[in-house]
Amino acid sequence: AMVGTLLVALSGGRAELGPVLFALAAGISWGAGVLLYQWSSRTHRDDAMVFAGWQLLAAGIFMAIFIPMSGESAIHWTPAFMMALSYTVILATALAVYVWFLLIARLEAGMASLGILLSPAIGLASSWIQLGERPPPVAALGLGIILFAIAFFAWAEWQRAQAALARG
């Protein structure tokens, strides 16, 4: 799936390898965080809301420190901007993070991550359907590799479940 994601990201010829590898490293660290969360939630029986709150607080502090250093111009606090910011912070981020922690508390990390692996595939398919953008052959190959990885993982999970049922 990582190879497929690299192919999709670099297929347009405009992306640089460094930022793409940085994003993949972030994904790997996110996966490690999921495993750490699952271990911690099983060991300490903490609520998903606690983990979601700490993650959002840490991210907010990080952004408050580093966004001013980005060199972007000052924010114009218009009513439309504040509405968009409120939607993004409350619904799109806080709710999504909370639901994510609920999912990974109840599912195995691999099963919960299948939806994450589908994101590039859904993005490419949506741009193809809605905008008529045909993916270049390299991106289509990357998409195929991602879908193969998802199918292989789902098949392996199904095999494991069947073996567990057979054992009793």
Side-chain angles (χ1 to χ4, degrees), residues 23-44:
L24 287 173
I28 291 168
S29 66
W30 182 27
V34 167
L35 295 175
L36 179 64
Y37 167 74
Q38 286 189 327
W39 170 82
S40 178
S41 69
R42 289 183 181 129
T43 305
H44 303 291

Side-chain angles (χ1 to χ4, degrees), residues 54-125:
W54 278 110
Q55 179 179 354
L56 293 171
L57 178 64
I61 291 169
F62 182 82
M63 290 185 344
I65 292 169
F66 289 103
I67 285 179
M69 296 179 198
S70 70
E72 294 295 319
S73 61
I75 296 172
H76 302 288
W77 293 93
T78 64
F81 174 76
M82 290 188 300
M83 291 291 290
L85 184 64
S86 297
Y87 168 79
T88 302
V89 169
I90 295 168
L91 286 176
T93 302
L95 183 62
V97 168
Y98 177 67
V99 169
W100 172 250
F101 279 115
L102 284 176
L103 278 175
I104 61 175
R106 289 166 174 72
L107 297 174
E108 291 186 26
M111 289 305 293
S113 298
L114 284 178
I116 301 303
L117 282 175
L118 280 173
S119 295
I122 291 170
L124 277 175

